[in-house]
Amino acid sequence: MRPVYLDNNATTRVDPAAVAAMLPFFTEQFGNASSMHAFGASVGGALKTARRQLQELLGAEHDHEIVYTSGGTESDNTAILSALETQVGRSEVITSVVEHPAILALCDWLEKHKGVTVHRIPVDAKGRLDVEAYRKALGPKTAIVSIMWANNETGTLFPVERLAEMAHEAGALFHTDAVQAVGKLPIDLKSTEIDMLSLSGHKLHGPKGIGALYVRKGVRLRPMIRGGHQERGRRAGTENAPAIIGLGKAAELALAHMSDEQTRVKALRDRLEQGLLQRIGNSFVTGDTDHRLPNTANVAFEFIEGEAILLLLNRAGIAASSGSACTSGSLEPSHVLRAMKVPYTAAHGAIRFSFSRENGEEDVDRVLEVMPGIIANLRSLSPFWKDKGAAKAAADTAFNPTYA
Ligand SMILES: *Cc1c(COP(=O)(O)O)cnc(C)c1O
């Protein structure tokens, strides 16, 4: 049986067309783009094309606003570290409690070792940002705001365009981790006030280990990696030409498939979600279902362990995830669901299904076929399920989800 891959927020398959675009740059066209001979020149041209492809996907004004990096993590780190140096007299960072570890771990370190004050803006039960708390945190000391565009676990979207305007009113820079948004949502940076944006190749059917940081023209960037003059001195090191070219092709393909993502992929997600809620009691969808990525469903099944569900799904040839790939392996439920005050009895059993344009109806059918049995089986073994009342009373009751 064909495996069912529904973990596209963790990583995606490289599109075969992107692989084909990359291959010549490992063999015939192996030159260094900086070289003063024909070997370098042809690579330089291809890198330029890739930059244009990315510019178009982002709706950026200039192609040199794009700086290639090794991925989302490096882009995130670069943006914040740079702002703390260029924003003279400003030493505070504002972020949210539900960011990716690429932001949160850096902020923890800055706070602990560099004397940086970090404001972590909370979210409500649906994962929506507390905009009033954000307004209050902004001030003359704010160097940079870093708030994600789309959450990797729930798909919840933040109103980054408005948040960027508010940051500017306080004289702060605005960065967004858009790793999950790029390729899934139409983006037009030139019509926003966003100063910096992170993206990653492997989340949009491009290769791993390549990403980009968009830096608006006029915004100063202090490089994190120093060395040669590549990327106009903003990120040293010989360009990873095959990966950059693969990312460019992936960007072009993402733009071409954008409407598919918004319609067909979204319909698959919705059918899975509704089908699960209909078939399985004591389950609910987490996140802001009115403002969400089209591909992500995060469904909590009460009184069981997500890890056990994933194990049985895997046995049935289905790949999904419990929250983020970065926190699975730990016994704590996801920091995102905890921030939303999802009761422990439910947060432990939350499963993320993330689709891509490569999924089809048969994938949804397959999950709907096996999932009710898996859940019933695990619940029959769960001590919490037998004593639901007591387990619930013990859990945080601040959150009131709508049950199926
Ligand atoms: C995957 C991810 C990252 C990290 O990107 P890498 O390219 O794997 O370093 C950062 N932020 C979000 C929201 C992500 O989903």
Side-chain angles (χ1 to χ4, degrees):
M1 200 174 298
R2 193 177 85 102
V4 176
Y5 186 74
L6 290 172
D7 200 10
N8 288 280
N9 286 11
T11 198
T12 56
R13 186 172 81 118
V14 185
D15 192 294
V19 176
M22 293 169 73
L23 288 177
F25 294 88
F26 288 107
T27 52
E28 296 86 28
Q29 293 178 261
F30 62 86
N32 185 323
S34 306
S35 299
M36 286 292 152
H37 46 62
F39 289 88
S42 69
V43 177
L47 294 183
K48 223 176 167 54
T49 303
R51 211 181 287 277
R52 293 259 160 77
Q53 287 162 322
L54 213 46
Q55 176 194 359
E56 202 164 326
L57 180 64
L58 299 178
E61 190 122 37
H62 306 282
D63 63 355
H64 58 253
E65 291 174 321
I66 289 152
V67 180
Y68 292 116
T69 66
S70 65
T73 302
E74 184 187 326
S75 296
D76 285 347
N77 275 254
T78 304
I80 292 179
L81 292 173
S82 168
L84 286 169
E85 294 208 25
T86 61
Q87 294 274 84
V88 179
R90 291 170 175 263
S91 58
E92 298 187 2
V93 175
I94 299 178
T95 187
S96 83
V97 288
V98 295
E99 298 295 312
H100 188 274
I103 295 288
L104 290 180
L106 174 68
C107 285
D108 289 351
W109 179 80
L110 286 169
E111 196 170 49
K112 204 164 164 205
H113 299 287
K114 297 287 157 183
V116 172
T117 301
V118 179
H119 301 270
R120 297 172 184 79
I121 308 302
V123 296
D124 69 8
K126 285 189 152 191
R128 295 174 297 198
L129 195 79
D130 183 341
V131 178
E132 227 11 76
Y134 171 58
R135 191 189 304 281
K136 287 196 189 116
L138 282 165
K141 288 239 158 257
T142 315
I144 186 168
V145 175
S146 179
I147 303 235
M148 69 202 320
W149 199 315
N151 187 272
N152 44 306
E153 296 190 26
T154 62
T156 299
L157 304 176
F158 285 150
V160 286
E161 282 144 310
R162 184 155 62 95
L163 302 177
E165 290 166 16
M166 291 167 70
H168 282 178
E169 282 163 27
L173 287 173
F174 187 87
H175 164 259
T176 184
D177 176 340
V179 169
Q180 292 294 345
V182 173
K184 295 173 189 150
L185 301 176
I187 290 180
D188 187 51
L189 284 174
K190 60 185 172 302
S191 67
T192 75
E193 293 195 19
I194 294 164
D195 296 301
M196 293 190 267
L197 172 147
S198 299
L199 65 90
S200 171
H202 74 101
K203 303 289 174 82
L204 58 129
H205 301 284
K208 293 168 180 60
I210 187 72
L213 179 64
Y214 159 89
V215 184
R216 182 179 294 278
K217 191 180 173 198
V219 172
R220 286 173 60 211
L221 187 75
R222 198 60 76 84
M224 190 168 78
I225 310 280
R226 290 160 212 266
H229 297 295
Q230 295 89 356
E231 299 297 302
R232 295 172 170 241
R234 293 170 300 178
R235 206 284 192 175
T238 301
E239 299 87 350
N240 185 350
I244 290 171
I245 287 152
L247 171 57
K249 189 67 190 176
E252 182 193 298
L253 294 166
L255 199 55
H257 288 99
M258 190 67 74
S259 66
D260 183 45
E261 191 82 32
Q262 300 290 331
T263 54
R264 192 187 62 85
V265 174
K266 181 172 183 293
L268 289 176
R269 189 273 311 270
D270 290 344
R271 189 162 80 78
L272 174 72
E273 216 169 66
Q274 283 152 22
L276 288 172
L277 297 188
Q278 271 163 19
R279 288 166 177 78
I280 302 166
N282 290 87
S283 61
F284 59 92
V285 174
T286 72
D288 183 359
T289 47
D290 296 327
H291 302 96
R292 214 166 30 142
L293 287 174
N295 81 316
T296 310
N298 190 303
V299 186
F301 302 96
E302 288 188 291
F303 311 112
I304 35 177
E305 283 294 334
E307 308 292 318
I309 303 173
L310 291 179
L311 217 80
L312 296 180
L313 279 175
N314 183 52
R315 218 176 272 173
I318 298 166
S321 156
S322 60
S324 75
C326 320
T327 48
S328 54
S330 71
L331 288 173
E332 278 291 290
S334 110
H335 71 286
V336 175
L337 299 184
R338 271 184 294 150
M340 291 159 62
K341 298 194 169 64
V342 175
Y344 266 53
T345 47
H348 270 296
I351 300 294
R352 177 186 73 187
F353 301 96
S354 46
F355 289 78
S356 82
R357 61 177 185 254
E358 299 191 335
N359 291 113
E361 297 286 349
E362 66 283 6
D363 297 330
V364 175
D365 292 338
R366 184 98 185 93
V367 178
L368 291 179
E369 187 187 311
V370 304
M371 199 65 169
I374 289 176
I375 301 296
N377 199 357
L378 290 173
R379 278 181 177 163
S380 75
L381 302 168
S382 162
F384 301 113
W385 178 248
K386 292 190 187 100
D387 198 358
K388 293 196 279 286
K392 256 199 165 137
D396 187 344
T397 48
F399 180 63
N400 255 325
T402 3
Y403 290 91

